[in-house]
Amino acid sequence: MKKGIVILAMLFSAQLFSQAIYEDERYVPETDPLVLKNLDEWQGKKFGLLMHWGTYSEWGIVESWSICPEDYGWCERTKGSDPANYNTYVKDYEGLKKTFNPVKFNPEKWAKAAKAAGMKYMVFTTKHHDGFNMFDTKYSDYKVTDSECAFSTNPRANITKEVFNAFRKEKMWIGAYFSKPDWHNKNYWNPYFPPFDRNVNYDPATYPDKWKKYTDFTHNQILELLSDYGKVDILWLDGGWVAKTPENEVKKGYVEKFAENESGNGFIKHRVVNQDIKMDELVVEARQKQPGLIVVDRAVHGKNQNYLTPENRVPEKTLPYPWESCITSGGGWSYTPDAKYMTGRQGIQMLIDVVAKGGNLLLNVAPGPDGEWQQGAYDLLAQYGAWMKVNSTAIYNTKPIAPYKENNICMTQNKVGNVFLFYMAKTGENKIPSELVLKSISPKKGTKITMLGSSLKLKWTKLGEGFRVIIPESLRNNLPCKEAWTLKIEKINR
């Protein structure tokens, strides 16, 4: 009997999980013509930079989450004078504002490294869930420019402004990451009540005036960023639990939460709360400030999520809407001492995989407490850059072509009908094989096939199913790049 109950519970959980994956992939198309134009241009950029940075970098801990009273591994408290005491810990954590002093801050160096890597846009954390503002906001003293912050006397203290200007100078698009929950704000976590979890710690329906103050505060800060910091191309909103949630969705959410409950005693790690922050109104106001603004209200199904953002994962298939995988390059999202970065091979092949499926890759690099990137980040981006110098025409402004991948060969196509085949090196492999056979693509009779980075015309023969192409030894011994090699087919049979 118990075994049957366990199996039933597992099936129910699996059903909920598969349903959650499906629900995550719902998409409501945008209708604003200028936004659609910008979204199409954004999809052609393919490769961007994400940076998580805040006072938490001083401790080398996960961003914000250690002050959240939830029972998850990423919320574990290990620093401060008394990590076993929640209130003492929060006081110590918020005290990091006084010692935050990234004197090596040089965003021009980051921007040049990102551009050289082939990145075309960036997203920067103007404020994470802990509520610490990396910009000179008028609406909070918990900010990098406050007189109590050690960095406030630095001429570059308005970090967001400096970052945006540096990347804009390199012709990159600007994205403003902004957290909708603010765990420092008294109208979100009201000091009268203890915080329960990641959510607002009072009932917005019972205290509507307090919730309105918080909604107004959030709108004011976002509009401030869109008014005083130059051209912003993407508003990248995090904290998807802060959203208008209908009663049926709240009930469904609790069913899913109880299904996750391993002990069976009714304990849930965080609640589902209707937190209507008037997003529709905000987006209208935002686009009055920044016409054509791409808005990414992450994990909130509806018209204000112009593209979807699978987190730290690459979808298994092509997806029928704009999307971007946000992936950590080394350590975690925030600065991790002695972080181990992905290899050039891993990074380059991940980019190819994402692009072949029609997505963009947003690669996270986390600055340290001194304002520098770790050398591993620079090394990784340099390897991207060397590869992109040869192969970028097969990445930018391309779209998927079925079946997108055959064995270890990915595929893209451009607007004029050229098809690109990426042979991704296998483990222990440092050169492309002497011949490749593909069944899923059929080049047009007499068409030209070359390897990007070489002008040599490659010999190929049609097979009953697909074709075979020969890679001569002279080219195999003098390859134009590492980790993956790209063949360009001028025309294929449709």
Side-chain angles (χ1 to χ4, degrees):
M1 181 67 179
K2 287 183 179 178
K3 184 178 179 181
I5 292 172
V6 169
I7 292 172
L8 185 62
M10 289 173 64
L11 288 172
F12 179 64
S13 296
Q15 183 182 20
L16 285 173
F17 178 76
S18 63
Q19 184 179 8
I21 293 295
Y22 169 77
E23 294 296 327
D24 283 346
E25 296 180 353
R26 288 185 298 183
Y27 182 72
V28 178
E30 180 57 62
T31 57
D32 183 318
L34 186 52
V35 178
L36 288 171
K37 175 181 174 294
N38 290 341
L39 196 56
D40 183 63
E41 187 175 346
W42 169 82
Q43 285 185 280
K45 293 183 179 298
K46 299 302 180 187
F47 193 22
L49 171 70
L50 175 62
M51 285 188 288
H52 279 72
W53 196 27
T55 58
Y56 41 78
S57 69
E58 294 183 71
W59 280 352
I61 58 172
V62 68
E63 63 291 343
S64 299
W65 283 99
S66 61
I67 64 170
C68 180
E70 293 181 0
D71 187 19
Y72 292 104
W74 66 79
C75 300
E76 186 179 3
R77 301 186 294 272
T78 59
K79 301 288 185 175
S81 60
D82 187 3
N85 184 306
Y86 175 79
N87 293 322
T88 301
Y89 181 85
V90 171
K91 185 178 179 181
D92 290 347
Y93 180 99
E94 295 191 340
L96 291 171
K97 162 189 167 181
K98 297 179 180 179
T99 53
F100 186 63
N101 195 22
V103 293
K104 293 183 180 179
F105 173 53
N106 183 355
E108 287 79 13
K109 184 179 179 182
W110 301 343
K112 282 179 170 57
K115 182 180 181 179
M119 292 168 162
K120 296 290 188 181
Y121 66 103
M122 60 80 65
V123 178
F124 179 69
T125 48
T126 66
K127 182 178 77 167
H128 206 263
H129 312 329
D130 60 8
F132 185 77
N133 297 275
M134 297 290 278
F135 66 105
D136 187 27
T137 178
K138 298 188 292 283
Y139 301 98
S140 172
D141 292 332
Y142 193 45
K143 59 183 178 179
V144 68
T145 54
D146 185 71
S147 60
E148 285 194 345
C149 179
F151 196 59
S152 64
T153 57
N154 192 293
R156 312 196 80 175
N158 193 349
I159 283 176
T160 294
K161 184 176 183 180
E162 298 291 333
V163 168
F164 285 3
N165 286 344
F167 280 82
R168 214 180 272 119
K169 209 172 284 183
E170 297 296 340
K171 310 300 182 188
M172 294 176 69
W173 273 22
I174 303 302
Y177 171 112
F178 185 91
S179 170
K180 292 182 295 181
D182 184 326
W183 296 334
H184 183 80
N185 189 284
K186 67 180 182 181
N187 290 311
Y188 194 77
W189 277 1
N190 182 353
Y192 184 78
F193 302 106
F196 305 131
D197 53 18
R198 68 188 65 186
N199 292 283
V200 59
N201 70 342
Y202 60 87
D203 183 358
T206 303
Y207 301 94
D209 291 344
K210 187 170 286 294
W211 182 249
K212 184 179 185 306
K213 286 179 182 177
Y214 185 71
T215 299
D216 290 345
F217 163 77
T218 304
H219 285 215
N220 286 335
Q221 281 205 310
I222 290 173
L223 294 176
E224 186 178 35
L225 282 167
L226 299 178
S227 301
D228 302 341
Y229 290 79
K231 180 76 165 67
V232 175
D233 304 283
I234 303 166
L235 177 61
W236 211 86
L237 300 171
D238 204 3
W241 60 90
V242 179
K244 184 177 182 179
T245 311
E247 185 179 350
N248 65 313
E249 292 290 328
V250 171
K251 290 178 179 178
K252 177 187 166 190
Y254 275 105
V255 170
E256 293 175 0
K257 290 297 170 195
F258 278 114
E260 294 171 2
N261 175 25
E262 297 176 0
S263 65
N265 66 359
F267 177 79
I268 56 174
K269 295 185 178 183
H270 67 271
R271 300 160 300 140
V272 182
V273 182
N274 178 18
Q275 301 171 70
D276 184 2
I277 205 158
K278 307 294 183 187
M279 188 54 61
D280 289 352
E281 297 173 18
L282 173 60
V283 171
V284 170
E285 293 179 278
R287 288 188 177 141
Q288 288 171 352
K289 301 283 187 184
Q290 300 273 356
L293 179 72
I294 294 173
V295 177
V296 185
D297 192 10
R298 297 189 69 218
V300 181
H301 308 308
K303 64 179 182 177
N304 301 319
Q305 189 175 203
N306 293 155
Y307 65 76
L308 276 68
T309 56
E311 183 172 320
N312 253 341
R313 68 180 179 91
V314 178
E316 294 182 2
K317 61 184 187 303
T318 55
L319 303 176
Y321 41 72
W323 61 276
E324 163 194 87
S325 278
C326 46
I327 307 282
T328 55
S329 63
W333 293 112
S334 55
Y335 168 76
T336 306
D338 302 318
K340 183 179 179 182
Y341 286 80
M342 65 174 70
T343 64
R345 177 168 293 189
Q346 290 170 329
I348 289 162
Q349 294 191 2
M350 177 185 292
L351 175 63
I352 294 168
D353 187 36
V354 167
V355 172
K357 293 170 182 171
N360 286 23
L361 174 61
L362 186 65
L363 192 72
N364 184 82
V365 173
D370 60 353
E372 254 286 26
W373 287 356
Q374 291 164 312
Q375 188 58 43
Y378 289 114
D379 293 344
L380 175 60
L381 265 59
Q383 291 178 78
Y384 270 115
W387 188 86
M388 288 288 275
K389 278 181 181 177
V390 175
N391 300 281
S392 63
T393 55
I395 296 292
Y396 302 134
N397 299 306
T398 60
K399 60 183 180 179
I401 179 170
Y404 90 80
K405 188 175 184 180
E406 183 178 321
N407 299 317
N408 64 319
I409 300 176
C410 284
M411 311 163 191
T412 63
Q413 59 183 323
N414 64 18
K415 293 177 181 178
V416 297
N418 305 146
V419 171
F420 301 97
L421 308 177
F422 302 88
Y423 181 88
M424 299 197 292
K426 300 174 184 177
T427 302
E429 195 172 38
N430 293 312
K431 64 168 71 172
I432 193 168
S434 58
E435 66 174 48
L436 300 180
V437 174
L438 269 87
K439 296 181 178 180
S440 54
I441 295 289
S442 177
K444 273 196 172 182
K445 184 178 180 180
T447 200
K448 182 180 175 184
I449 300 179
T450 55
M451 178 182 288
L452 294 188
S454 168
S455 59
L456 184 66
K457 187 176 178 180
L458 302 177
K459 294 179 180 178
W460 67 275
T461 54
K462 182 175 173 55
L463 303 176
E465 187 178 11
F467 74 105
R468 175 187 290 109
V469 61
I470 306 300
I471 315 296
E473 283 301 306
S474 59
L475 180 55
R476 295 183 70 229
N477 292 329
N478 190 30
L479 290 165
C481 60
K482 299 179 180 179
E483 319 307 357
W485 303 278
T486 310
L487 302 187
K488 177 182 178 181
I489 306 175
E490 296 288 345
K491 294 291 179 183
I492 65 167
N493 293 311
R494 298 288 179 175

